[in-house]
Amino acid sequence: MSASTLELDVGLVLPQYGTDVATVRETVREAERLGYRSVWLEDHFQSWIGDQRRATHECWTTLSAVAETTDEIRLGTLVTCQSYRHPAVLAKMAATVDRISEGRLEVGLGAGWYADEYDRFGYEFREPPAERIHRLGETIEILQGLWTNDTYSHEGEYLDVDLEEAFCEPQPVQEPHPPIWIGGGGEDVTLPYAAELADGWNYGTLEPEGFEGKLEVLREHCASDERYDEIAKSAELFAFVGETTDEAEKKREQFRTEFLLDEPAEPREFFLAGYLETAPTGTPAAVRESLAAYADAGIEEVMLVVPDAADPKDDSLALLAAELGLG
């Protein structure tokens, strides 16, 4: 299969932990130069990988800097935690970034999972997960309402939020609004919301067969095949690339040794272990073959976490871009 026939958009999750903002800027400039479709930032106040006190750049303020740094590449959040911002404030923030970027914003949203972060920074971690997911759905309704109406009123059902003739001026550049992605794989609540409300869906830690199963459930929740086709389907994947298989495997094992010294003992470690187990690893051609399997499973875009991307001496991004025919 030639690079030109791989029907898969490729994005990059930016290195926002243990780096400085200059490194984030340099990485996004390189990603844009190489032809990656999109760049993404996670929404955390502390690192979920390794030492929690590693420098962690807040996603929305950093995204504003990224928007000013670039010209064409799409940019988004993977994913914004619903709990961390009042939905009307989030609507205003997103509209502003869409304006700064001249219509390049993708708004990824999730219900939140990092309980230690909630506790440390004073947010209520509601259980069971459905309590958080229902609030996610209502947040999306508020965002869409503020972005597409001159004024918008809302009486909170799950959220303690009542709006009376509220407005968002200026509204986003994109019409009817910036694409909204829902992150999460819960089949009883999250996927139904994605089927009803989302422009895109994202998940991680699965092999291609696992994504096939999730997509079957998503399709079942959609009102029609046409609605299913409207939803962009994506996977967040770690990737370790080397000119040889041994070089790539060595990168993965070095990362594992640094950040998973012991057996997983808490949710964030289980997540990371899952990402490492499913990470495409090898030469650019081998990684491309792995990504093709995700495309065959129904995935249309991958958001790659390339741990070496922040190293100016590493050429993983360029090797992948050349093999995948980006640019």
Side-chain angles (χ1 to χ4, degrees):
M1 181 184 292
S2 66
S4 62
T5 60
L6 181 59
E7 296 183 1
L8 198 66
D9 288 325
V10 182
L12 179 70
V13 180
L14 293 171
Q16 71 189 94
Y17 307 114
T19 63
D20 54 29
V21 174
T23 298
V24 176
R25 284 198 181 101
E26 290 164 6
T27 304
V28 73
R29 289 191 193 106
E30 180 71 355
E32 184 169 59
R33 184 185 70 81
L34 291 170
Y36 286 81
R37 189 196 85 91
S38 57
V39 289
W40 304 80
L41 287 162
E42 298 178 342
D43 187 18
H44 290 296
F45 304 144
Q46 63 185 39
S47 177
W48 68 277
I49 299 173
D51 183 358
Q52 294 169 311
R53 293 184 64 91
R54 294 169 73 209
T56 300
H57 305 302
E58 193 278 326
C59 76
W60 280 97
T61 47
T62 307
L63 205 61
S64 294
V66 168
E68 283 285 274
T69 299
T70 56
D71 296 312
E72 297 179 355
I73 199 166
R74 302 288 297 180
L75 46 96
T77 57
L78 201 72
V79 288
T80 293
C81 180
Q82 171 275 319
S83 307
Y84 291 167
R85 297 164 191 84
H86 189 288
V89 174
L90 180 58
K92 188 67 174 177
M93 292 165 59
T96 301
V97 173
D98 200 48
R99 288 272 163 180
I100 293 171
S101 66
E102 298 181 330
R104 291 183 284 128
L105 178 65
E106 311 264 344
V107 181
L109 293 167
W113 62 271
Y114 197 175
D116 182 78
E117 183 174 64
Y118 273 74
D119 293 342
R120 177 167 284 123
F121 293 98
Y123 294 92
E124 182 181 356
F125 190 72
R126 293 179 173 86
E127 293 281 21
E131 291 293 316
R132 303 190 302 278
I133 299 167
H134 288 314
R135 286 166 171 78
L136 167 65
E138 189 169 344
T139 294
I140 293 172
E141 292 176 5
I142 292 172
L143 295 179
Q144 292 173 336
L146 287 168
W147 288 338
T148 60
N149 293 281
D150 290 337
T151 61
Y152 178 68
S153 298
H154 178 88
E155 185 175 341
E157 179 179 1
Y158 299 101
L159 294 170
D160 186 19
V161 173
D162 292 331
L163 305 178
E164 183 64 36
E165 299 296 310
F167 52 86
C168 181
E169 291 292 346
Q171 291 187 340
V173 172
Q174 297 178 83
E175 296 182 355
H177 53 70
I180 293 175
W181 298 71
I182 288 181
E187 298 183 2
D188 294 327
V189 186
T190 302
L191 291 183
Y193 274 125
E196 178 186 359
L197 299 172
D199 301 295
W201 171 76
N202 179 267
Y203 197 52
T205 73
L206 295 178
E207 300 284 357
E209 296 79 7
F211 274 100
E212 275 191 76
K214 292 293 182 184
L215 292 176
E216 288 175 5
V217 175
L218 178 62
R219 184 187 291 275
E220 290 170 1
H221 286 302
C222 287
S224 65
D225 287 343
E226 290 77 13
R227 171 58 187 148
Y228 177 79
D229 291 339
E230 290 173 353
I231 302 171
K233 298 91 177 172
S234 68
E236 182 183 18
L237 303 170
F238 275 60
F240 297 89
V241 187
E243 293 186 354
T244 67
T245 300
D246 287 345
E247 180 184 337
E249 291 288 355
K250 183 178 180 181
K251 287 182 177 182
R252 180 162 66 171
E253 288 311 307
Q254 286 177 337
F255 185 89
R256 186 191 303 275
T257 298
E258 182 174 359
F259 296 110
L260 278 177
L261 298 179
D262 303 311
E263 289 295 316
E266 54 181 302
R268 67 191 184 106
E269 294 172 343
F270 282 103
F271 280 139
L272 187 58
Y275 278 117
L276 292 182
E277 289 169 7
T278 58
T281 302
T283 64
V287 171
R288 186 182 183 287
E289 184 175 350
S290 295
L291 297 182
Y294 283 93
D296 290 343
I299 293 300
E300 299 163 345
E301 180 164 0
V302 290
M303 290 77 158
L304 300 179
V305 180
V306 182
D308 306 294
D311 182 353
K313 298 178 181 179
D314 188 85
D315 57 358
S316 295
L317 295 186
L319 289 172
L320 276 175
E323 178 65 32
L324 299 175
L326 307 183

